[in-house]
Amino acid sequence: YRKLYSTCKGTYALTVPFMERFFGLAKHGTDTQPAGWTGQITSNSFMKREFGSKLIEEYLVRQDLRAVIDTSGAYIPGHGTPTVILIGKHQQPTPGPVRAVLGVQGEPERPEDPAQGKVWSAIVDNVDSPGHDGQWVTVVDLPRDRLATHPWSLTGGGASGLLALMNEYHHRALRRAIAEIGRTTHTGNDEAFFLPLSSRGVRKLDADTVPVVLGEEVRDFRLQPANCTVFPYDSQGAPKELTVAAQRYLWRVRRGLETQLDFQQTKAERGLRWFDHSMFFPARYRNPLSIAFAFVATHNHFVLDRGGKVFNRSAPVIKLPEGATEEEHLALLGVLNSSTACFWLKQNSHDKGNGGIGGGIASSEWERFFEFTGTTLKDFPLPAALPLKRGSQLDALAQSFAASAPAALTEDGTPTASALEEARKTSQSILGQMVVMQEELDWETYRLYGLTDEDLTYHGEDLPELLLGQRAFEIVLARNIAVGEQAPEWFQRHGSTPITALPQEWSSGYRDLVQRRLDLIESNPNIRLLEKPEYKRRWATEPWEKQEERTLRTWLLNRLEDRSYWFDAQGRPAARSISQLADMVTRDADLVGVLALWDGTVDVDVVKALTRLLTDEAVPYLAAQRLKEPG
DNA sequence: GATCCGTTCCGGATGAGGTA
DNA sequence: TACCTCATCCGGAACGGATC
């Protein structure tokens, strides 16, 4: 296909040569006959993914495109992939505009009769009325040059106007401020190299491993790596030998690593050692500061890292030029984490739907997840001034938040009920401060991009801690829900309480400010567009109880691995029954205390609690019991 | 040398059916 | 009736390598 169809680029989808073929099959116009029409419904991936750029910029610009209809929000039975309908004639473009139906809101639920679906009906009813701006679609006549460049953004409801405004106001693109974007390593065989952080001590691999960050571990200004990787490089990224412990660890997979092909070559053929990572980028590792982001996620998550970790492809990092200060990183961090950035990214990144079979049908816009690639990110327009102060405050808060998590508490000592309770309060309070600070950041950013002239940030000293559900856009949302215009999923999913009136406990200054924000949401269409759940931070943190349970469990299991439980006085390994173990455990007051905490009872029944704790950890004594039918 | 694509995978949530 | 077991569903990504 690459030879036959000029539009094929990179790893393309078959829809690309198909589209070229479709237009090619239609008749050319001559003096006696008009050019043939062609119409197709096709996957919309070419609109934003890189492989579509040739198709859009070199092929479609030479065809007489007449209509582009975004059907990604409509429900099409058996077809979860987001789609677009293109209609045109096989001839040179005519001067007139292109009719476009832009999506505003997706189908809220699976319609009984797909032909009567809300979005589909809206498209059918309004495709001939340019200027229509409804709840489901916007219909406009676009000037041809709007569709001449990749990527296409076919979001209605004023999105294209806002996007244009952002581009107009921007001072420079992100690519001018940074050195590069990408992963820091790619092992080529994660199963061989990765192991849980908690087990590196047991295997004596501390000197040979570094934490490795995956995409899902980059959230809300924090990195929470659960794994580390065997890492045969020093702090400068130069190759080093592995210790005996690490050699032993990798030995069982040596043959696999030696024969594995990357770029159609073995490691030896590429001049690498068998235990080298397939792709490792020393320069990115050497320079400690970086901004990591989540590659696939529902919202934008950027986190400052201060070094000593590696990042795989699902958590790429932004590297600033050599010698850039922490302030420069924090300023970028601030703007990239704003709701405005989320808006821009979603307009320009590929929408992967909401998972499920073939992409599924998203009941809410904020549930769809996107793929944020480095290439797209480089075009991100930066405003002239950056929100350094709020960026660094959020980063500092996130660090204290991490320090008060249950996991941090058990790191150096025995967890106690009072300490846990204290930490829960602290962390709740810090979260409240982060939520309110993110609001300040978002509203500051609106002004930095010139979307409003008003300064709607708070200048008093008494910034309240916000609960989820108390942000301005959530009040608007709650009011809409109250009158039945929107579904309450946002609050249900995040476990927050919707409120329709401003809380009395806020200072009058802050209440006035939020009221002014509400007024602006009402009066300014651009702000109204940005102050929506799909662009605002979700703060979807793991519930405290769950974190606590997991942490206590880990602490107990680590403690129970102590040598004294499993070896007799002569140093011979010994098998123990639960009751024998319970007998020994009872003599350790700390252990019993934590067991009671984990069990949630005051007078803990040690045998029962240990049984519950250890059943999943033990290997049944009969082989026949080790495998169950479903396993 | 450095991605970026498309499909597959994991594990928690849910709920039906079975059992004490 | 209340608890328990098991299977399925689905949210939320991760994987591997072909291509530029």
Side-chain angles (χ1 to χ4, degrees), chain A residues 571-618:
Chain A
R572 289 172 303 199
R576 307 252 187 252
S577 71
I578 293 257
S579 5
Q580 284 172 323
L581 194 61
D583 194 41
M584 300 167 82
V585 163
T586 321
R587 277 173 249 147
D588 184 341
D590 277 357
L591 195 43
V592 175
V594 178
L595 199 60
L597 261 184
W598 176 72
D599 199 47
T601 49
V602 185
D603 285 321
V604 65
D605 181 334
V606 176
V607 176
K608 262 194 184 160
L610 279 180
T611 311
R612 192 158 74 86
L613 178 70
L614 296 175
T615 307
D616 288 349
E617 304 291 326

Coordinates of all heavy atoms in Angstrom, one line a residue, chain A residues 571-618:
Chain A
G571 N 19.5 -22.9 63.6 CA 19.6 -22.3 62.2 C 19.0 -23.1 61.1 O 19.3 -22.9 60.0
R572 N 18.2 -24.1 61.5 CA 17.6 -25.0 60.5 C 16.2 -24.4 60.2 O 15.5 -24.0 61.1 CB 17.4 -26.4 60.9 CG 18.8 -27.1 61.0 CD 18.6 -28.5 61.7 NE 18.0 -28.3 63.0 CZ 18.1 -29.3 64.0 NH1 18.6 -30.4 63.7 NH2 17.5 -29.1 65.1
P573 N 15.8 -24.3 58.9 CA 14.5 -23.8 58.6 C 13.4 -24.7 59.2 O 13.6 -25.9 59.2 CB 14.4 -23.9 57.0 CG 15.5 -24.7 56.6 CD 16.6 -24.7 57.7
A574 N 12.3 -24.1 59.6 CA 11.2 -24.8 60.3 C 9.9 -24.4 59.7 O 9.6 -23.3 59.5 CB 11.3 -24.6 61.8
A575 N 9.0 -25.4 59.5 CA 7.7 -25.1 59.1 C 6.8 -24.8 60.3 O 7.1 -25.4 61.4 CB 7.1 -26.3 58.3
R576 N 5.9 -23.9 60.3 CA 5.1 -23.6 61.4 C 3.6 -23.6 61.1 O 3.3 -23.1 60.0 CB 5.5 -22.2 61.9 CG 6.9 -21.9 62.2 CD 7.2 -21.8 63.7 NE 8.6 -21.5 63.9 CZ 9.5 -22.3 64.4 NH1 9.2 -23.6 64.7 NH2 10.7 -21.9 64.6
S577 N 2.8 -24.1 62.0 CA 1.4 -23.9 61.8 C 1.0 -22.5 62.3 O 1.8 -21.9 62.9 CB 0.7 -25.0 62.6 OG 0.8 -24.7 64.0
I578 N -0.2 -22.2 61.9 CA -0.7 -20.8 62.3 C -0.7 -20.7 63.8 O -0.3 -19.7 64.3 CB -2.1 -20.6 61.7 CG1 -2.1 -20.5 60.2 CG2 -2.8 -19.4 62.4 CD1 -2.2 -19.1 59.6
S579 N -1.2 -21.8 64.5 CA -1.2 -21.7 66.0 C 0.2 -21.5 66.6 O 0.4 -20.8 67.5 CB -2.0 -22.8 66.6 OG -2.3 -23.8 65.7
Q580 N 1.1 -22.2 66.0 CA 2.5 -22.1 66.5 C 3.0 -20.7 66.3 O 3.6 -20.0 67.2 CB 3.4 -23.1 65.8 CG 3.3 -24.5 66.3 CD 4.1 -25.4 65.4 OE1 4.2 -25.2 64.1 NE2 4.7 -26.4 66.0
L581 N 2.7 -20.1 65.1 CA 3.1 -18.8 64.8 C 2.4 -17.8 65.7 O 3.0 -16.9 66.2 CB 2.7 -18.5 63.3 CG 3.4 -17.3 62.6 CD1 4.9 -17.4 62.6 CD2 2.8 -17.1 61.2
A582 N 1.1 -18.1 65.9 CA 0.3 -17.2 66.8 C 0.9 -17.1 68.2 O 1.0 -16.1 68.8 CB -1.1 -17.6 66.8
D583 N 1.4 -18.2 68.6 CA 2.0 -18.3 69.9 C 3.2 -17.4 70.1 O 3.4 -16.7 71.0 CB 2.4 -19.8 70.2 CG 2.7 -20.0 71.7 OD1 1.9 -19.5 72.5 OD2 3.6 -20.7 72.0
M584 N 4.0 -17.4 69.0 CA 5.2 -16.6 69.0 C 4.9 -15.1 68.8 O 5.4 -14.3 69.4 CB 6.2 -17.0 67.9 CG 6.6 -18.5 68.0 SD 7.4 -19.0 66.4 CE 9.0 -18.4 66.6
V585 N 3.9 -14.9 68.0 CA 3.5 -13.5 67.7 C 2.9 -12.8 68.9 O 3.2 -11.6 69.2 CB 2.4 -13.5 66.6 CG1 1.7 -12.2 66.5 CG2 3.0 -13.8 65.2
T586 N 2.2 -13.6 69.8 CA 1.6 -13.0 71.0 C 2.7 -12.3 71.9 O 2.4 -11.4 72.6 CB 0.9 -14.1 71.8 OG1 0.2 -14.9 70.8 CG2 -0.2 -13.5 72.7
R587 N 3.9 -12.8 71.8 CA 5.0 -12.3 72.6 C 5.5 -10.9 72.1 O 6.3 -10.2 72.8 CB 6.1 -13.3 72.8 CG 5.8 -14.3 73.8 CD 6.9 -15.4 73.8 NE 6.4 -16.7 73.3 CZ 7.0 -17.6 72.6 NH1 8.3 -17.3 72.3 NH2 6.5 -18.7 72.3
D588 N 5.1 -10.6 70.9 CA 5.6 -9.3 70.3 C 4.4 -8.3 70.3 O 3.5 -8.3 69.5 CB 6.0 -9.6 68.8 CG 6.6 -8.3 68.1 OD1 6.3 -7.2 68.6 OD2 7.2 -8.5 67.1
A589 N 4.5 -7.4 71.3 CA 3.4 -6.5 71.6 C 3.2 -5.6 70.4 O 2.0 -5.3 70.0 CB 3.7 -5.6 72.8
D590 N 4.2 -5.1 69.7 CA 4.1 -4.2 68.5 C 3.3 -4.9 67.5 O 2.3 -4.4 66.9 CB 5.5 -3.9 67.9 CG 6.1 -2.8 68.7 OD1 5.4 -2.2 69.6 OD2 7.3 -2.4 68.3
L591 N 3.7 -6.2 67.2 CA 3.0 -6.9 66.2 C 1.5 -7.2 66.5 O 0.7 -7.0 65.6 CB 3.7 -8.3 66.0 CG 3.5 -9.1 64.8 CD1 3.5 -8.3 63.5 CD2 4.6 -10.2 64.6
V592 N 1.2 -7.5 67.7 CA -0.2 -7.7 68.1 C -0.9 -6.4 68.0 O -2.1 -6.4 67.5 CB -0.2 -8.3 69.5 CG1 -1.7 -8.4 70.0 CG2 0.4 -9.6 69.6
G593 N -0.3 -5.3 68.3 CA -1.0 -4.0 68.2 C -1.4 -3.7 66.8 O -2.5 -3.3 66.5
V594 N -0.4 -3.9 65.9 CA -0.7 -3.6 64.5 C -1.7 -4.6 63.9 O -2.6 -4.2 63.1 CB 0.6 -3.6 63.6 CG1 0.3 -3.3 62.2 CG2 1.6 -2.6 64.2
L595 N -1.6 -5.8 64.4 CA -2.6 -6.8 63.9 C -4.0 -6.4 64.3 O -5.0 -6.5 63.5 CB -2.2 -8.2 64.5 CG -2.8 -9.4 63.9 CD1 -2.4 -9.5 62.4 CD2 -2.4 -10.7 64.6
A596 N -4.1 -5.9 65.5 CA -5.4 -5.4 66.0 C -5.9 -4.2 65.2 O -7.1 -4.1 64.8 CB -5.3 -5.0 67.5
L597 N -5.0 -3.3 64.8 CA -5.3 -2.2 64.0 C -5.8 -2.6 62.6 O -6.8 -2.2 62.1 CB -4.0 -1.3 63.7 CG -3.8 -0.1 64.6 CD1 -2.5 0.6 64.0 CD2 -5.0 0.8 64.4
W598 N -5.1 -3.6 62.1 CA -5.5 -4.1 60.7 C -6.8 -4.8 60.8 O -7.7 -4.7 59.9 CB -4.4 -5.1 60.2 CG -4.7 -5.7 58.9 CD1 -4.7 -5.1 57.7 CD2 -5.1 -7.1 58.7 NE1 -5.0 -6.0 56.7 CE2 -5.3 -7.2 57.3 CE3 -5.2 -8.2 59.5 CZ2 -5.6 -8.4 56.7 CZ3 -5.6 -9.4 59.0 CH2 -5.8 -9.5 57.6
D599 N -7.0 -5.6 61.9 CA -8.2 -6.4 62.0 C -9.4 -5.5 62.4 O -10.6 -5.9 62.2 CB -8.0 -7.4 63.1 CG -9.0 -8.6 63.0 OD1 -9.2 -9.0 61.9 OD2 -9.6 -8.9 64.1
G600 N -9.1 -4.3 63.0 CA -10.2 -3.4 63.4 C -10.8 -3.8 64.7 O -12.0 -3.4 65.0
T601 N -10.2 -4.6 65.5 CA -10.8 -5.0 66.8 C -9.8 -4.7 67.9 O -8.6 -4.6 67.7 CB -11.0 -6.5 66.9 OG1 -9.8 -7.2 66.4 CG2 -12.2 -6.9 66.0
V602 N -10.3 -4.5 69.1 CA -9.4 -4.2 70.3 C -8.8 -5.4 70.8 O -7.6 -5.5 70.9 CB -10.2 -3.4 71.4 CG1 -9.3 -3.0 72.5 CG2 -11.0 -2.2 70.8
D603 N -9.7 -6.4 71.1 CA -9.1 -7.7 71.6 C -9.0 -8.7 70.5 O -9.9 -9.5 70.2 CB -10.1 -8.3 72.7 CG -9.9 -7.5 74.0 OD1 -8.8 -7.2 74.4 OD2 -11.0 -7.3 74.7
V604 N -7.9 -8.5 69.8 CA -7.7 -9.3 68.5 C -7.5 -10.8 68.8 O -6.8 -11.2 69.7 CB -6.6 -8.7 67.7 CG1 -5.3 -8.9 68.3 CG2 -6.6 -9.3 66.3
D605 N -8.3 -11.6 68.1 CA -8.1 -13.1 68.1 C -6.9 -13.4 67.2 O -7.1 -13.4 65.9 CB -9.3 -13.8 67.7 CG -9.2 -15.3 67.7 OD1 -8.1 -15.8 67.6 OD2 -10.2 -16.0 67.9
V606 N -5.7 -13.6 67.7 CA -4.5 -13.7 66.9 C -4.6 -14.8 65.9 O -4.2 -14.6 64.7 CB -3.2 -13.9 67.8 CG1 -2.0 -14.0 67.0 CG2 -3.1 -12.7 68.7
V607 N -5.1 -15.9 66.3 CA -5.1 -17.1 65.3 C -6.0 -16.7 64.1 O -5.7 -16.9 63.0 CB -5.6 -18.3 66.0 CG1 -5.8 -19.5 65.0 CG2 -4.7 -18.7 67.1
K608 N -7.2 -16.2 64.5 CA -8.2 -15.8 63.4 C -7.6 -14.8 62.4 O -7.7 -14.9 61.2 CB -9.5 -15.3 64.0 CG -10.5 -16.4 64.1 CD -11.9 -15.7 64.4 CE -13.0 -16.8 64.6 NZ -14.1 -16.2 65.3
A609 N -7.0 -13.7 63.1 CA -6.5 -12.6 62.3 C -5.3 -13.1 61.4 O -5.2 -12.8 60.2 CB -6.0 -11.5 63.2
L610 N -4.4 -13.9 62.0 CA -3.3 -14.4 61.2 C -3.8 -15.3 60.0 O -3.2 -15.3 58.9 CB -2.4 -15.2 62.1 CG -1.4 -14.4 62.9 CD1 -0.5 -15.4 63.7 CD2 -0.5 -13.5 62.0
T611 N -4.8 -16.1 60.3 CA -5.4 -17.0 59.3 C -5.8 -16.1 58.1 O -5.5 -16.4 56.9 CB -6.5 -17.8 59.8 OG1 -6.1 -18.4 61.0 CG2 -7.0 -18.9 58.8
R612 N -6.6 -15.1 58.4 CA -7.1 -14.2 57.4 C -5.9 -13.5 56.6 O -6.0 -13.4 55.4 CB -8.0 -13.1 58.1 CG -8.8 -12.3 57.1 CD -10.0 -11.7 57.8 NE -9.6 -10.5 58.7 CZ -9.5 -9.3 58.2 NH1 -9.7 -9.0 57.0 NH2 -9.2 -8.3 59.0
L613 N -4.9 -13.1 57.4 CA -3.8 -12.4 56.8 C -3.0 -13.4 55.9 O -2.5 -13.0 54.8 CB -2.9 -11.8 57.9 CG -1.6 -11.1 57.4 CD1 -2.0 -9.8 56.8 CD2 -0.7 -10.8 58.6
L614 N -2.8 -14.6 56.3 CA -1.8 -15.4 55.7 C -2.3 -16.5 54.7 O -1.5 -17.0 53.9 CB -0.9 -16.2 56.8 CG -0.1 -15.3 57.7 CD1 0.6 -16.1 58.8 CD2 0.9 -14.5 56.8
T615 N -3.6 -16.6 54.7 CA -4.2 -17.7 53.8 C -3.7 -17.5 52.4 O -3.3 -18.4 51.7 CB -5.7 -17.7 53.9 OG1 -6.0 -17.9 55.3 CG2 -6.2 -18.9 53.2
D616 N -3.8 -16.2 51.9 CA -3.5 -15.9 50.5 C -2.0 -16.1 50.3 O -1.5 -16.2 49.1 CB -3.9 -14.5 50.2 CG -5.4 -14.4 50.0 OD1 -6.0 -15.5 50.0 OD2 -5.9 -13.3 49.9
E617 N -1.2 -16.0 51.3 CA 0.3 -16.0 51.2 C 0.9 -17.4 51.2 O 2.0 -17.6 50.8 CB 0.9 -15.2 52.3 CG 0.4 -13.7 52.4 CD 0.8 -12.9 51.2 OE1 2.0 -13.1 50.7 OE2 0.0 -12.0 50.8
A618 N 0.1 -18.3 51.8 CA 0.6 -19.7 52.0 C 0.4 -20.5 50.8 O -0.4 -20.3 50.0 CB -0.1 -20.3 53.2

